[in-house]
Amino acid sequence: MTKRTPIIAGNWKMHNTLAESAALVEALKKADNKNHAEIIVAPSFTSLAKVAELAKGSALQVCAQDIHWEDKGAFTSAVSPVQAKDAGATHTILGHSERRSVFGDTDEILNKKVAAALRHGLTIIFCVGETLAQREANETIAVIDAQLENGLKGYTAEQLKGLIIAYEPVWAIGTGKTATPAQAQEVHAAIRQFLAGKYGEDFAQATRILYGGSVKDTNVDEIMAQPDVDGALVGGQALIAEKFTRIINFN
């Protein structure tokens, strides 16, 4: 089995002033990292440049929470991949369930955003996941396969090298509910199977698949023990240095 370096990513969502962001980064720069994980933080756009500046020379990598598919233009309130990269981002989250459900990002829109990220060398954290209704209808794997198929359409394994997938069951985001370790493993294994069929076994084995959905310091150990779970995309507890540090140092 391929040894994959774990990734612990913190999505700060619409939280933190500049001062709060700076304080959190300074605390995380001092965090132990016994698992030699890649640590990624995704601040709001207002804090992106400040966080990137403070993270320089540390183990922290900086991620945009989203990007627009065009490099510039009349798109009020949007942030282009050029701007995100200029502010210091090396990664971008695409397809987070809140972007899909609240802001209407479709698979077609996400496919254009994938193109923009690849064009500018931003590493993509591509999010997939099902709603509670879809899970109860036994549609989980079909829904996720379609999100991957349509969102990544038109790209080769070589072009997508370095891609990170995040599985976030929509019913477990911000609800306090978490997929059981067995449920997470089942879906992660299915995602890897999809990647193997589409892009080859080597690509599938090299791709890190993160679990996101109410990851906490109290459940991270069991989640990370699953063979196809390569890391976590953390929401609420990413804002608390002590909790996030504990997640980084999962057992």
Side-chain angles (χ1 to χ4, degrees):
M1 186 194 286
T2 307
K3 176 95 172 118
R4 294 180 290 267
T5 302
I7 295 171
I8 304 296
N11 178 12
W12 297 359
K13 304 192 180 184
M14 198 173 71
H15 294 284
N16 287 357
T17 61
L18 281 170
E20 289 165 342
S21 295
L24 184 51
V25 168
E26 291 299 351
L28 293 178
K29 278 160 68 172
K30 298 171 193 157
D32 288 335
N33 184 5
K34 71 175 189 185
N35 297 309
H36 306 291
E38 285 184 29
I39 307 167
I40 301 169
V41 293
S44 295
F45 282 119
T46 53
S47 293
L48 192 60
K50 181 72 170 175
V51 168
E53 181 190 331
L54 292 173
K56 268 183 193 156
S58 77
L60 299 179
Q61 300 179 72
V62 181
C63 181
Q65 292 180 13
D66 183 47
I67 54 167
H68 195 271
W69 62 83
E70 293 288 355
D71 291 358
K72 59 183 175 182
F75 302 101
T76 298
S77 89
V79 175
S80 80
V82 176
Q83 292 170 321
K85 195 170 178 181
D86 183 54
T90 54
H91 295 61
T92 183
I93 298 170
L94 296 180
H96 190 281
S97 67
E98 290 156 6
R99 288 293 321 173
R100 291 177 187 266
S101 63
V102 180
F103 297 100
D105 278 11
T106 62
D107 290 340
E108 293 69 32
I109 285 171
L110 291 171
N111 188 250
K112 294 199 286 186
K113 290 184 175 185
V114 167
L118 293 175
R119 197 162 64 237
H120 293 285
L122 289 166
T123 299
I124 298 165
I125 301 176
F126 191 83
C127 301
V128 295
E130 83 285 12
T131 63
L132 185 58
Q134 289 166 335
R135 173 162 279 275
E136 289 177 343
N138 292 318
E139 295 170 352
T140 296
I141 304 305
V143 165
I144 288 168
D145 282 358
Q147 289 172 340
L148 290 167
E149 179 71 46
N150 297 324
L152 303 176
K153 191 188 298 178
Y155 297 100
T156 64
E158 186 56 38
Q159 288 170 307
L160 294 172
K161 194 174 177 184
L163 174 74
I164 301 161
I165 306 286
Y167 167 54
E168 336 167 281
V170 177
W171 48 271
I173 296 170
T175 62
K177 294 179 182 175
T178 312
T180 65
Q183 285 172 323
Q185 169 56 25
E186 179 189 13
V187 176
H188 281 232
I191 291 171
R192 209 173 298 286
Q193 189 175 4
F194 172 90
L195 296 175
K198 188 83 179 166
Y199 303 108
E201 190 62 35
D202 288 351
F203 181 89
Q205 287 302 320
T207 300
R208 271 87 59 87
I209 307 173
L210 316 183
Y211 174 75
S214 296
V215 177
K216 304 181 185 71
D217 57 342
T218 52
N219 63 21
V220 67
D221 296 345
E222 304 152 310
I223 292 167
M224 289 300 300
Q226 304 306 307
D228 285 296
V229 176
D230 305 312
L233 180 57
V234 185
Q237 291 205 344
L239 300 168
I240 306 163
E242 298 79 13
K243 302 267 190 196
F244 193 59
T245 298
R246 169 63 182 86
I247 292 169
I248 291 166
N249 291 289
F250 62 88
N251 291 315

